[in-house]
Amino acid sequence: MNENEKNKKRADNENEETLTNRQGHPVTNNQNMRTVGNRGPTTLENYDFLEKISHFDRERIPERVVHARGAGAHGYFTATGKAGDEPVSTYTRAKLFQEEGKQTPLFVRFSSVIHGGTSPETLRDPRGFAVKFYTEDGNWDLVGNNLKIFFIRDAIKFPDLIHAFKPDPVTNIQDGKRIFDFCSSSPETFHMITFLFSPWGIPANYRMMQGSGVNTYKWVNEEGKAVLVKYHWEPKQGIKNLTQDEADKIQATNFNHATQDLYEAIEKGDFPEWDLFVQIMSDDDHPELDFDPLDDTKLWPNDTFPWKHVGTMTLNKNPEDYFTEVEQVAFGTGVLVDGLDFSDDKMLQGRTFSYSDTQRYRVGPNYLQLPINAPNKRVATNQRGGQMQYKVDLGEKQNPHINYEPSTIDGLKEAKPTAKEYTPFIEGHLVRESIDRPSNTKQAGETFRNFEEWEREELIANLVSALGPADKRIQEKMIALAEEADQEYGRRLRDGLANAPKGETEHSKPISSKEGNDAPEEAVEKGHDAEPY
């Protein structure tokens, strides 16, 4: 019996508006529990109450460890059929890119990284930019951030990075001293710190921010030849960022402003759009560069590796239910379709395990059966059981007794390859070593010099505010990184810290405000007396 047939069946005392419980029983009294007399006590067999309250007790799934605060929307991607002026088939056989005008449905989730699910959307933080394409070959997840680089280049450091930015495990307060303690001892973070503490660390909203795949991927064509590729989303609405003072004023009146902005724009038909560009590089280690192209702390210079337009994304539909769609949507960097592949980027390799693994913990092993995560095509697997399985993904002619492969009695069969397989040659010793060309600060200096003067002023002011309470040794290490990046950068940071208010506190304030240290005292001073009642 299909869902439509089920929905037509009703008890004698119900119509299309009647409330039922999950067992399908019409609820005749949703105002009162069953009690002994109208004053109680209650009785244990209150099924309607027990079902309702026990579900309520469980209606929040574990919050994402990172990217907990988010907003999302449905839309579609329209391909150009080209990569810049060239046929896109030169580089990739992925079907969604091949034809001019071809549209692929998608879902996007924007998010902040460090803070909790109801945190203000004005906090200084990278923003997640994750896109799920429902292609004819299955799902493709392009999971990235608004900033085009990352803090670290090796996934083994990711828990350390997040722990440093998360609240102190004793005080439960985000602490700038802890952040800079980690970052000053991890020089590869300095480029991202330069972006994060500039106005680029607080996008004005989700519609007016860039997106990036951050990591290096590969494209594979029909001949099985590969190129390295980076993805860039550029908003057709323009780009807007906020200073700290501007963000503080918005936060004082509305801490959901970015979610509201996205929802209302789509509701009134002002559909946001982003152009998707790629940068392409031959698949080798490029010794002519002073950085490794697989290093996700680096930008590829666009004068050497120009951006090539491949399509446009349009968001035209808001979620019908936030939890079902935005909260339960699950992304993974390993979710690729034919024609797309992984590079050896060490952060990408680690993310590919971590992202899908955390969704199996957070949502459950059958999270891919949820409509928001399920591909828009047939699914047939030998996977069985697990928490929250509600259907079996059988093939049309599959013997239901056979959940293994190979089989001669109507089990599932392997698909035949449709193009030449990509088979990169790999050799080398297994080692635990850093890359040969770290170049930790050069691009940070270039970024500093490319900023407008007001952005440089804001960067220095924010760094001085956050670094002010830190240990002098940490300050000196951060100044040394700034000086290595750019002499003016280092000088302005040193002068700013020398002129900062003295008096180190035991614990630093969060990085989200220049004035946060006085907030506890202000609350006492400005609080109004009240008598007990």
Side-chain angles (χ1 to χ4, degrees), residues 143 148-156 212-218 228-231 283-284 291-300 333 341-353 422 426 435:
V143 193
K148 299 177 183 297
I149 57 171
F150 200 58
F151 294 92
I152 52 175
R153 61 173 68 97
D154 194 307
I156 200 171
S212 170
V214 178
N215 295 108
T216 301
Y217 289 85
K218 290 182 181 181
L228 302 178
V229 63
K230 274 186 178 279
Y231 299 99
D283 184 14
D284 56 77
F291 64 93
D292 191 312
L294 304 184
D295 182 353
D296 66 353
T297 70
K298 302 295 185 292
L299 298 168
W300 291 3
T333 56
D341 215 317
F342 309 97
S343 77
D344 298 329
D345 179 335
K346 288 194 262 188
M347 271 301 297
L348 176 61
Q349 301 271 316
R351 292 176 76 202
T352 294
F353 167 76
Y422 170 58
I426 301 171
I435 60 174

Side-chain angles (χ1 to χ4, degrees), residues 77-90:
F77 175 77
T78 305
T80 64
K82 295 182 178 181
D85 296 327
E86 303 172 90
V88 75
S89 58
T90 305

Side-chain angles (χ1 to χ4, degrees), residues 313-524:
M313 172 174 68
T314 303
L315 300 184
N316 65 343
K317 181 178 181 296
N318 281 313
E320 295 181 9
D321 181 78
Y322 179 88
F323 180 86
T324 303
E325 296 162 77
V326 182
E327 186 63 20
Q328 291 196 134
V329 69
F331 298 91
T333 56
V335 184
L336 305 175
V337 294
D338 184 53
L340 313 178
D341 215 317
F342 309 97
S343 77
D344 298 329
D345 179 335
K346 288 194 262 188
M347 271 301 297
L348 176 61
Q349 301 271 316
R351 292 176 76 202
T352 294
F353 167 76
S354 179
Y355 274 59
S356 294
D357 182 58
T358 196
Q359 304 301 350
R360 295 183 188 102
Y361 162 73
R362 191 180 71 88
V363 187
N366 290 298
Y367 73 96
L368 292 172
Q369 290 188 343
L370 295 173
I372 193 64
N373 295 319
N376 287 355
K377 65 179 294 295
R378 68 178 290 277
V379 175
T381 80
N382 287 322
Q383 298 172 20
R384 300 289 185 273
Q387 183 182 15
M388 298 299 288
Q389 176 181 292
Y390 69 93
K391 64 177 181 177
V392 178
D393 297 318
L394 289 171
E396 292 180 12
K397 297 182 179 180
Q398 183 179 357
N399 182 341
H401 297 279
I402 308 303
N403 61 346
Y404 51 85
E405 189 281 327
S407 167
T408 58
I409 47 175
D410 298 327
L412 297 173
K413 304 291 192 296
E414 295 173 325
K416 294 180 180 180
T418 59
K420 186 174 181 181
E421 186 174 0
Y422 170 58
T423 57
F425 178 75
I426 301 171
E427 69 173 354
H429 297 287
L430 290 175
V431 298
R432 292 185 177 91
E433 295 178 356
S434 298
I435 60 174
D436 294 331
R437 290 168 283 169
S439 189
N440 290 320
T441 60
K442 180 182 177 182
Q443 287 198 2
E446 293 169 353
T447 294
F448 177 81
R449 291 187 291 275
N450 285 333
F451 281 160
E452 296 180 23
E453 177 55 26
W454 73 273
E455 292 175 308
R456 289 192 286 266
E457 290 177 357
E458 182 72 7
L459 166 65
I460 297 300
N462 291 328
L463 283 174
V464 168
S465 174
L467 267 171
D471 187 293
K472 282 289 184 185
R473 293 168 295 178
I474 295 173
Q475 291 183 0
E476 286 299 323
K477 289 169 77 172
M478 291 300 296
I479 291 170
L481 290 172
E483 289 174 337
E484 187 178 302
D486 181 275
Q487 286 189 345
E488 181 188 352
Y489 193 171
R491 177 185 58 77
R492 291 172 69 165
L493 181 58
R494 183 179 294 279
D495 291 348
L497 287 169
N499 295 321
K502 300 298 185 288
E504 183 171 331
T505 57
E506 183 181 355
H507 299 292
S508 176
K509 63 181 181 297
I511 64 172
S512 58
S513 176
K514 297 172 185 173
E515 308 298 333
N517 251 3
D518 297 331
E521 291 81 3
E522 285 186 23
V524 173

Side-chain angles (χ1 to χ4, degrees), residues 258-273:
T259 294
Q260 180 179 340
D261 174 84
L262 178 67
Y263 185 89
E264 291 180 350
I266 294 174
E267 280 296 290
K268 66 184 181 184
D270 183 12
F271 301 143
E273 294 182 319

Side-chain angles (χ1 to χ4, degrees), residues 32-45:
N32 304 288
M33 291 189 294
R34 201 176 196 186
T35 59
V36 179
N38 59 19
R39 296 181 64 239
T42 62
T43 56
L44 187 60
E45 83 284 359

